[in-house]
Amino acid sequence: MASLKEERLESYLVGGQERFYRLAYSYLRDGEEALDAVQTAVCRCLERRDSLRDEAALGTWFTRILVNACMDLLRQRKRVAFVPPEVLDAGSYEDPLPEDGTLADRVNGLPPEAQTVVKLRFYEDMTLREISEVTGWNLNTVKSRLYAGLKKLRVSLEGVTLE
């Protein structure tokens, strides 16, 4: 019989699939890789479920695992040749980011640390303290990276006119 902890973990993983995919996609910008990252993170989570000491920190704990899985794929990507998107067929998942891509492209153009903080804060609606726990960075470091990233976004968007 499954323990209450395992039932809560299962419920969290099943209920958060779309959110996990969106976060992974925001890092990887590729549907298949995002699905791979989520699957890897879920497997790692299940393998290491005994290392979760505080059940209240489940969301932070899993998000850290997912972000690390995405970063692993990004490191592997540097060693892999790309296939043009027109060669691939459209996946069953839609792009969760806006079609105009202006803001999404600008966020992806930020330095990796600022990009991580902005995505976790605004895409995943995490608090600065939660971001600090997920990334392992000091709270003041998270704040400075967020504000520096937002300043760069503001400067880059000043010349853009919206219709």
Side-chain angles (χ1 to χ4, degrees), residues 107-120:
V107 169
N108 288 329
L110 291 172
E113 294 86 7
Q115 194 180 128
T116 295
V117 175
V118 169
K119 287 178 179 179
L120 291 176

Side-chain angles (χ1 to χ4, degrees), residues 32-52:
E32 295 299 317
E33 283 188 335
L35 290 172
D36 288 344
V38 171
Q39 181 177 5
T40 299
V42 168
C43 289
R44 288 179 186 171
C45 174
L46 293 173
E47 290 170 355
R48 300 173 188 164
R49 67 181 168 258
D50 294 333
S51 70
L52 176 62

Side-chain angles (χ1 to χ4, degrees), residues 48-61:
R48 300 173 188 164
R49 67 181 168 258
D50 294 333
S51 70
L52 176 62
R53 294 186 184 107
D54 180 12
E55 287 186 47
L58 175 61
T60 303
W61 179 72

Side-chain angles (χ1 to χ4, degrees), residues 10-70:
E10 181 181 333
S11 173
Y12 177 78
L13 293 175
V14 171
Q17 290 179 37
E18 289 180 19
R19 193 168 33 99
F20 304 150
Y21 174 77
R22 275 194 320 272
L23 178 60
Y25 190 92
S26 73
Y27 274 90
L28 302 168
R29 305 285 294 167
D30 178 83
E32 295 299 317
E33 283 188 335
L35 290 172
D36 288 344
V38 171
Q39 181 177 5
T40 299
V42 168
C43 289
R44 288 179 186 171
C45 174
L46 293 173
E47 290 170 355
R48 300 173 188 164
R49 67 181 168 258
D50 294 333
S51 70
L52 176 62
R53 294 186 184 107
D54 180 12
E55 287 186 47
L58 175 61
T60 303
W61 179 72
F62 182 77
T63 302
R64 176 177 247 170
I65 293 172
L66 180 57
V67 168
N68 287 337
C70 291

Side-chain angles (χ1 to χ4, degrees), residues 117 128-129 131-132 137-150:
V117 175
L128 295 178
R129 185 165 308 284
I131 295 169
S132 173
W137 299 328
N138 180 299
L139 181 60
N140 289 329
T141 302
V142 170
K143 289 177 184 178
S144 67
R145 289 180 176 165
L146 175 64
Y147 299 131
L150 292 176

Side-chain angles (χ1 to χ4, degrees), residues 74-161:
L74 287 172
R75 279 190 288 276
Q76 287 176 0
R77 186 187 284 177
K78 291 180 181 177
R79 294 174 265 172
V80 177
F82 283 102
V83 177
E86 40 296 338
V87 175
L88 303 173
D89 62 341
S92 61
Y93 284 86
E94 295 179 17
D95 183 348
L97 300 175
E99 266 189 46
D100 68 358
T102 303
L103 183 58
D105 290 341
R106 307 242 181 202
V107 169
N108 288 329
L110 291 172
E113 294 86 7
Q115 194 180 128
T116 295
V117 175
V118 169
K119 287 178 179 179
L120 291 176
R121 176 68 186 101
F122 297 106
Y123 291 14
E124 294 304 311
D125 201 29
M126 296 178 80
T127 66
L128 295 178
R129 185 165 308 284
E130 290 172 332
I131 295 169
S132 173
E133 292 171 9
V134 166
T135 60
W137 299 328
N138 180 299
L139 181 60
N140 289 329
T141 302
V142 170
K143 289 177 184 178
S144 67
R145 289 180 176 165
L146 175 64
Y147 299 131
L150 292 176
K151 183 177 181 179
K152 288 181 182 184
L153 282 175
R154 187 179 333 105
V155 168
S156 70
L157 288 170
E158 282 178 349
V160 176
T161 56

